[in-house]
């Protein structure tokens, strides 16, 4: 959905809804919780406002980033409850030994990486909201949309969620996009990069055990762990592109600093998880036919699929008249925020959410995409 296509009356209605939602969020920001962890939103007297106010565009960029990080925190907490390290730093669940063991097939340190990624995302949205409030701007608060049931498998906290990890359709074309030396989506928007795991793009699959019934048979729970292993880099490559794309629209040097400082951590996440995804064992789930291929063997293999090629292959950048360069891609800034909303929606991450939720996310995205560098 493009902002230019919004009817003015619809736009006005969305803005009214957004303002009400943000106002409610700001009023309750000091007491809202995500799991058992208090949100680090600024309260009166706790955080002195730094000099100057944010432009409308800069506030919109940071507000969209905060909303995206809130959603990331929500699903990472679900992963941590079942397959991560359980401690006071990332509280919530109690762990699921069977699921955790299957994740460890991809890497022995998988649980620690889940924990640390979860902690990172929580700090991102709490910082961004606190910064917005320090500048007198509204934060992003999605707590009213925490309505989705999550897993009831052993280890889950059973709390309501913002996101749905149990009906995912994954676009794994990022695998071949980052291994391509001849195509860049910024220069070739219509080029179709092949899927690493074609089956994940054809149906709806769970990345966490939905109930204890999903803990058997053995190949089924391993397929669930494999799905998580590919979902994690699929998500993180989105943030990998989002921050440099939005940074091009920032007016304030400080906002630019925020965006280009948080963005590289998403890149670190992406490369970590893309490496682990390559360790997913080839298998076919006997319950639904989901197949994970051996990416190092025919008809896969070679530079397009080889699992240890996790450094971005040099590709055309800006112009084919220039030498190839190893870069983040895509970083085209036009429509980036709405593209993220559409990407996450197509993934199935929001299945079960209300119309009001989609209205708010589209409005936040439209505002971010409308931001223009000033001066």
């Amino acid at each position: 959905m493009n902002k230019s296509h919004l009817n003015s009356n619809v736009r006005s209605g969305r803005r009214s809804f957004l303002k009400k939602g943000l106002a409610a969020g700001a009023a309750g920001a000091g007491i809202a919780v995500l799991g058992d962890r208090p949100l680090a939103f600024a309260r009166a007297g706790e955080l002195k406002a730094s000099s100057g106010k944010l432009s409308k565009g800069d506030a919109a960029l940071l507000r969209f980033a905060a909303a995206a990080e809130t959603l990331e925190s929500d699903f990472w907490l679900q992963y941590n409850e079942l397959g991560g390290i359980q401690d006071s730093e990332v509280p919530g669940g109690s762990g699921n030994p069977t699921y955790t063991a299957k994740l460890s097939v991809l890497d022995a340190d998988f649980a620690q990486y889940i924990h640390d990624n979860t902690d990172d995302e929580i700090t991102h949205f709490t910082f961004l909201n606190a910064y917005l409030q320090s500048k007198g701007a509204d934060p992003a608060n999605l707590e009213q949309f925490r309505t989705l049931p999550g897993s009831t498998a052993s280890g889950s906290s059973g709390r309501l969620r913002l996101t749905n990890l149990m009906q995912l359709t994954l676009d794994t074309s990022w695998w071949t996009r980052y291994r391509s030396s001849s195509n860049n989506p910024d220069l070739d928007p219509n080029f179709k990069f092949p899927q690493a795991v074609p089956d994940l793009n054809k149906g709806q699959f769970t990345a966490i055990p939905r109930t204890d019934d999903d803990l058997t048979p053995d190949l089924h729970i391993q397929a669930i762990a494999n799905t998580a292993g590919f979902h994690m880099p699929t998500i993180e490559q989105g943030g990998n592109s989002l921050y440099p794309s939005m940074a091009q629209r920032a007016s304030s040097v400080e906002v630019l600093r925020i965006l280009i400082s948080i963005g590289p951590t998403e890149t670190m996440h992406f490369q970590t998880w893309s490496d682990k995804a390559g360790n997913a064992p080839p298998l076919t789930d006997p319950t639904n036919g989901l197949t994970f291929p051996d990416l190092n063997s025919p008809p896969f293999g070679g530079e397009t699929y080889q699992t240890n090629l996790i450094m971005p292959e040099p590709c055309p950048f800006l112009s084919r008249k220039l030498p190839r360069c190893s870069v983040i891609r895509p970083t085209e800034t036009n429509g980036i925020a709405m593209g993220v909303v559409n990407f996450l929606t197509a993934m199935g991450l929001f299945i079960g959410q209300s119309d009001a939720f989609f209205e708010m996310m589209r409005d936040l995205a439209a505002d971010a995409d409308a931001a223009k560098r000033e001066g």
Side-chain angles (χ1 to χ4, degrees), residues 134-164:
S134 79
K135 293 289 193 173
D138 288 325
N141 190 297
L142 304 180
E143 289 304 301
Q144 63 183 303
F145 302 115
R146 191 174 296 283
T147 60
L148 303 182
S151 169
T152 60
S154 299
S156 171
S157 69
R159 292 188 175 92
L160 293 176
R161 314 294 184 176
L162 292 168
T163 58
N164 184 345

mmCIF file of all heavy atoms in Angstrom, residues 134-164:
data_model
loop_
_atom_site.group_PDB
_atom_site.id
_atom_site.type_symbol
_atom_site.label_atom_id
_atom_site.label_comp_id
_atom_site.label_asym_id
_atom_site.label_seq_id
_atom_site.Cartn_x
_atom_site.Cartn_y
_atom_site.Cartn_z
ATOM 1 N N SER A 134 12.358 11.987 25.405
ATOM 2 C CA SER A 134 13.266 13.027 25.875
ATOM 3 C C SER A 134 13.208 14.262 24.987
ATOM 4 O O SER A 134 13.569 15.363 25.408
ATOM 5 C CB SER A 134 14.700 12.491 25.927
ATOM 6 O OG SER A 134 15.301 12.466 24.640
ATOM 7 N N LYS A 135 12.764 14.074 23.747
ATOM 8 C CA LYS A 135 12.637 15.170 22.795
ATOM 9 C C LYS A 135 11.209 15.714 22.725
ATOM 10 O O LYS A 135 10.895 16.534 21.860
ATOM 11 C CB LYS A 135 13.047 14.688 21.395
ATOM 12 C CG LYS A 135 14.523 14.352 21.262
ATOM 13 C CD LYS A 135 15.375 15.597 21.297
ATOM 14 C CE LYS A 135 16.798 15.332 20.847
ATOM 15 N NZ LYS A 135 17.585 16.579 20.732
ATOM 16 N N GLY A 136 10.342 15.226 23.620
ATOM 17 C CA GLY A 136 8.962 15.695 23.621
ATOM 18 C C GLY A 136 8.104 15.064 22.543
ATOM 19 O O GLY A 136 7.013 15.561 22.238
ATOM 20 N N ALA A 137 8.577 13.953 21.950
ATOM 21 C CA ALA A 137 7.828 13.269 20.891
ATOM 22 C C ALA A 137 7.152 12.029 21.455
ATOM 23 O O ALA A 137 7.600 11.457 22.451
ATOM 24 C CB ALA A 137 8.760 12.886 19.751
ATOM 25 N N ASP A 138 6.073 11.625 20.812
ATOM 26 C CA ASP A 138 5.354 10.427 21.247
ATOM 27 C C ASP A 138 6.167 9.173 20.955
ATOM 28 O O ASP A 138 6.788 9.059 19.896
ATOM 29 C CB ASP A 138 4.005 10.312 20.517
ATOM 30 C CG ASP A 138 2.997 11.343 20.990
ATOM 31 O OD1 ASP A 138 3.006 11.660 22.198
ATOM 32 O OD2 ASP A 138 2.206 11.837 20.161
ATOM 33 N N PRO A 139 6.143 8.197 21.885
ATOM 34 C CA PRO A 139 6.801 6.918 21.633
ATOM 35 C C PRO A 139 5.896 6.003 20.815
ATOM 36 O O PRO A 139 4.743 6.347 20.540
ATOM 37 C CB PRO A 139 6.992 6.361 23.048
ATOM 38 C CG PRO A 139 5.765 6.859 23.778
ATOM 39 C CD PRO A 139 5.517 8.251 23.217
ATOM 40 N N ALA A 140 6.409 4.863 20.450
ATOM 41 C CA ALA A 140 5.584 3.827 19.825
ATOM 42 C C ALA A 140 5.168 2.850 20.909
ATOM 43 O O ALA A 140 6.017 2.334 21.638
ATOM 44 C CB ALA A 140 6.378 3.097 18.744
ATOM 45 N N ASN A 141 3.880 2.605 21.026
ATOM 46 C CA ASN A 141 3.390 1.673 22.032
ATOM 47 C C ASN A 141 2.333 0.784 21.394
ATOM 48 O O ASN A 141 1.295 1.271 20.928
ATOM 49 C CB ASN A 141 2.811 2.427 23.234
ATOM 50 C CG ASN A 141 2.519 1.486 24.388
ATOM 51 O OD1 ASN A 141 1.684 0.598 24.274
ATOM 52 N ND2 ASN A 141 3.212 1.687 25.497
ATOM 53 N N LEU A 142 2.592 -0.505 21.345
ATOM 54 C CA LEU A 142 1.699 -1.460 20.692
ATOM 55 C C LEU A 142 1.000 -2.381 21.683
ATOM 56 O O LEU A 142 0.399 -3.381 21.286
ATOM 57 C CB LEU A 142 2.500 -2.305 19.697
ATOM 58 C CG LEU A 142 3.280 -1.562 18.617
ATOM 59 C CD1 LEU A 142 4.026 -2.550 17.722
ATOM 60 C CD2 LEU A 142 2.364 -0.679 17.779
ATOM 61 N N GLU A 143 1.051 -2.052 22.972
ATOM 62 C CA GLU A 143 0.546 -2.971 23.984
ATOM 63 C C GLU A 143 -0.928 -3.317 23.816
ATOM 64 O O GLU A 143 -1.359 -4.404 24.177
ATOM 65 C CB GLU A 143 0.796 -2.401 25.380
ATOM 66 C CG GLU A 143 2.257 -2.414 25.781
ATOM 67 C CD GLU A 143 2.865 -3.804 25.702
ATOM 68 O OE1 GLU A 143 2.354 -4.718 26.391
ATOM 69 O OE2 GLU A 143 3.827 -3.995 24.944
ATOM 70 N N GLN A 144 -1.717 -2.393 23.265
ATOM 71 C CA GLN A 144 -3.140 -2.679 23.083
ATOM 72 C C GLN A 144 -3.375 -3.816 22.094
ATOM 73 O O GLN A 144 -4.465 -4.392 22.056
ATOM 74 C CB GLN A 144 -3.867 -1.428 22.618
ATOM 75 C CG GLN A 144 -3.402 -0.903 21.261
ATOM 76 C CD GLN A 144 -4.092 0.389 20.865
ATOM 77 O OE1 GLN A 144 -5.308 0.453 20.791
ATOM 78 N NE2 GLN A 144 -3.295 1.433 20.636
ATOM 79 N N PHE A 145 -2.352 -4.145 21.299
ATOM 80 C CA PHE A 145 -2.495 -5.196 20.293
ATOM 81 C C PHE A 145 -1.909 -6.530 20.754
ATOM 82 O O PHE A 145 -1.812 -7.473 19.970
ATOM 83 C CB PHE A 145 -1.824 -4.764 18.990
ATOM 84 C CG PHE A 145 -2.371 -3.480 18.443
ATOM 85 C CD1 PHE A 145 -1.576 -2.347 18.366
ATOM 86 C CD2 PHE A 145 -3.693 -3.383 18.042
ATOM 87 C CE1 PHE A 145 -2.077 -1.147 17.866
ATOM 88 C CE2 PHE A 145 -4.206 -2.194 17.538
ATOM 89 C CZ PHE A 145 -3.391 -1.073 17.463
ATOM 90 N N ARG A 146 -1.559 -6.624 22.030
ATOM 91 C CA ARG A 146 -1.034 -7.880 22.561
ATOM 92 C C ARG A 146 -2.216 -8.814 22.836
ATOM 93 O O ARG A 146 -2.672 -8.971 23.973
ATOM 94 C CB ARG A 146 -0.223 -7.625 23.828
ATOM 95 C CG ARG A 146 0.568 -8.836 24.301
ATOM 96 C CD ARG A 146 1.466 -8.459 25.475
ATOM 97 N NE ARG A 146 2.459 -7.485 25.070
ATOM 98 C CZ ARG A 146 3.556 -7.775 24.367
ATOM 99 N NH1 ARG A 146 3.788 -9.014 23.998
ATOM 100 N NH2 ARG A 146 4.411 -6.832 24.038
ATOM 101 N N THR A 147 -2.704 -9.451 21.786
ATOM 102 C CA THR A 147 -3.928 -10.241 21.867
ATOM 103 C C THR A 147 -3.788 -11.655 21.320
ATOM 104 O O THR A 147 -4.718 -12.462 21.434
ATOM 105 C CB THR A 147 -5.060 -9.547 21.085
ATOM 106 O OG1 THR A 147 -4.665 -9.410 19.710
ATOM 107 C CG2 THR A 147 -5.362 -8.159 21.659
ATOM 108 N N LEU A 148 -2.654 -11.987 20.706
ATOM 109 C CA LEU A 148 -2.517 -13.270 20.027
ATOM 110 C C LEU A 148 -2.083 -14.374 20.991
ATOM 111 O O LEU A 148 -1.148 -14.186 21.772
ATOM 112 C CB LEU A 148 -1.494 -13.169 18.900
ATOM 113 C CG LEU A 148 -1.758 -12.113 17.814
ATOM 114 C CD1 LEU A 148 -0.676 -12.188 16.750
ATOM 115 C CD2 LEU A 148 -3.139 -12.299 17.201
ATOM 116 N N PRO A 149 -2.740 -15.530 20.940
ATOM 117 C CA PRO A 149 -2.283 -16.658 21.762
ATOM 118 C C PRO A 149 -0.976 -17.201 21.222
ATOM 119 O O PRO A 149 -0.756 -17.250 20.014
ATOM 120 C CB PRO A 149 -3.416 -17.679 21.625
ATOM 121 C CG PRO A 149 -4.058 -17.358 20.305
ATOM 122 C CD PRO A 149 -3.934 -15.864 20.147
ATOM 123 N N GLY A 150 -0.079 -17.578 22.108
ATOM 124 C CA GLY A 150 1.193 -18.146 21.701
ATOM 125 C C GLY A 150 1.232 -19.638 21.950
ATOM 126 O O GLY A 150 0.196 -20.296 22.105
ATOM 127 N N SER A 151 2.429 -20.172 22.018
ATOM 128 C CA SER A 151 2.614 -21.596 22.263
ATOM 129 C C SER A 151 2.131 -21.971 23.665
ATOM 130 O O SER A 151 2.243 -21.193 24.614
ATOM 131 C CB SER A 151 4.098 -21.946 22.135
ATOM 132 O OG SER A 151 4.365 -23.242 22.604
ATOM 133 N N THR A 152 1.608 -23.183 23.763
ATOM 134 C CA THR A 152 1.265 -23.742 25.075
ATOM 135 C C THR A 152 2.181 -24.915 25.412
ATOM 136 O O THR A 152 1.914 -25.662 26.353
ATOM 137 C CB THR A 152 -0.207 -24.195 25.116
ATOM 138 O OG1 THR A 152 -0.423 -25.200 24.112
ATOM 139 C CG2 THR A 152 -1.152 -23.030 24.895
ATOM 140 N N ALA A 153 3.255 -25.084 24.646
ATOM 141 C CA ALA A 153 4.216 -26.153 24.920
ATOM 142 C C ALA A 153 4.929 -25.874 26.242
ATOM 143 O O ALA A 153 5.009 -24.734 26.709
ATOM 144 C CB ALA A 153 5.237 -26.253 23.790
ATOM 145 N N SER A 154 5.438 -26.918 26.855
ATOM 146 C CA SER A 154 6.168 -26.775 28.114
ATOM 147 C C SER A 154 7.303 -25.776 27.950
ATOM 148 O O SER A 154 8.078 -25.845 26.995
ATOM 149 C CB SER A 154 6.742 -28.133 28.535
ATOM 150 O OG SER A 154 5.718 -29.071 28.733
ATOM 151 N N GLY A 155 7.402 -24.834 28.880
ATOM 152 C CA GLY A 155 8.437 -23.811 28.843
ATOM 153 C C GLY A 155 7.928 -22.444 28.473
ATOM 154 O O GLY A 155 8.547 -21.429 28.809
ATOM 155 N N SER A 156 6.782 -22.378 27.788
ATOM 156 C CA SER A 156 6.216 -21.084 27.401
ATOM 157 C C SER A 156 5.562 -20.404 28.597
ATOM 158 O O SER A 156 4.980 -21.066 29.460
ATOM 159 C CB SER A 156 5.181 -21.281 26.288
ATOM 160 O OG SER A 156 4.477 -20.077 26.034
ATOM 161 N N SER A 157 5.640 -19.089 28.637
ATOM 162 C CA SER A 157 4.989 -18.333 29.709
ATOM 163 C C SER A 157 3.482 -18.306 29.542
ATOM 164 O O SER A 157 2.751 -18.026 30.490
ATOM 165 C CB SER A 157 5.519 -16.897 29.738
ATOM 166 O OG SER A 157 5.083 -16.187 28.574
ATOM 167 N N GLY A 158 3.004 -18.558 28.323
ATOM 168 C CA GLY A 158 1.568 -18.525 28.068
ATOM 169 C C GLY A 158 0.996 -17.130 27.919
ATOM 170 O O GLY A 158 -0.217 -16.964 27.814
ATOM 171 N N ARG A 159 1.868 -16.114 27.859
ATOM 172 C CA ARG A 159 1.380 -14.746 27.722
ATOM 173 C C ARG A 159 0.837 -14.496 26.320
ATOM 174 O O ARG A 159 1.204 -15.171 25.369
ATOM 175 C CB ARG A 159 2.505 -13.751 28.007
ATOM 176 C CG ARG A 159 2.960 -13.741 29.460
ATOM 177 C CD ARG A 159 3.941 -12.595 29.684
ATOM 178 N NE ARG A 159 4.309 -12.496 31.085
ATOM 179 C CZ ARG A 159 5.369 -13.094 31.631
ATOM 180 N NH1 ARG A 159 6.160 -13.825 30.862
ATOM 181 N NH2 ARG A 159 5.642 -12.961 32.906
ATOM 182 N N LEU A 160 -0.007 -13.488 26.213
ATOM 183 C CA LEU A 160 -0.503 -13.066 24.911
ATOM 184 C C LEU A 160 0.617 -12.366 24.141
ATOM 185 O O LEU A 160 1.500 -11.742 24.741
ATOM 186 C CB LEU A 160 -1.705 -12.141 25.073
ATOM 187 C CG LEU A 160 -2.964 -12.789 25.652
ATOM 188 C CD1 LEU A 160 -4.061 -11.742 25.850
ATOM 189 C CD2 LEU A 160 -3.473 -13.918 24.754
ATOM 190 N N ARG A 161 0.543 -12.432 22.813
ATOM 191 C CA ARG A 161 1.638 -11.955 21.969
ATOM 192 C C ARG A 161 1.176 -10.906 20.972
ATOM 193 O O ARG A 161 -0.015 -10.762 20.687
ATOM 194 C CB ARG A 161 2.226 -13.137 21.176
ATOM 195 C CG ARG A 161 2.479 -14.393 21.986
ATOM 196 C CD ARG A 161 3.558 -14.222 23.016
ATOM 197 N NE ARG A 161 3.838 -15.486 23.703
ATOM 198 C CZ ARG A 161 4.793 -15.649 24.618
ATOM 199 N NH1 ARG A 161 5.576 -14.636 24.955
ATOM 200 N NH2 ARG A 161 4.977 -16.821 25.203
ATOM 201 N N LEU A 162 2.160 -10.218 20.414
ATOM 202 C CA LEU A 162 1.932 -9.303 19.297
ATOM 203 C C LEU A 162 2.114 -10.012 17.964
ATOM 204 O O LEU A 162 1.548 -9.589 16.944
ATOM 205 C CB LEU A 162 2.917 -8.132 19.361
ATOM 206 C CG LEU A 162 2.768 -7.138 20.507
ATOM 207 C CD1 LEU A 162 3.999 -6.224 20.567
ATOM 208 C CD2 LEU A 162 1.505 -6.320 20.356
ATOM 209 N N THR A 163 2.930 -11.060 17.952
ATOM 210 C CA THR A 163 3.313 -11.723 16.716
ATOM 211 C C THR A 163 3.008 -13.220 16.774
ATOM 212 O O THR A 163 2.909 -13.810 17.847
ATOM 213 C CB THR A 163 4.813 -11.529 16.435
ATOM 214 O OG1 THR A 163 5.573 -12.042 17.549
ATOM 215 C CG2 THR A 163 5.134 -10.063 16.220
ATOM 216 N N ASN A 164 2.901 -13.815 15.605
ATOM 217 C CA ASN A 164 2.532 -15.218 15.458
ATOM 218 C C ASN A 164 3.684 -15.978 14.803
ATOM 219 O O ASN A 164 4.004 -15.741 13.637
ATOM 220 C CB ASN A 164 1.265 -15.312 14.597
ATOM 221 C CG ASN A 164 0.733 -16.719 14.469
ATOM 222 O OD1 ASN A 164 1.409 -17.691 14.779
ATOM 223 N ND2 ASN A 164 -0.498 -16.838 14.003
#
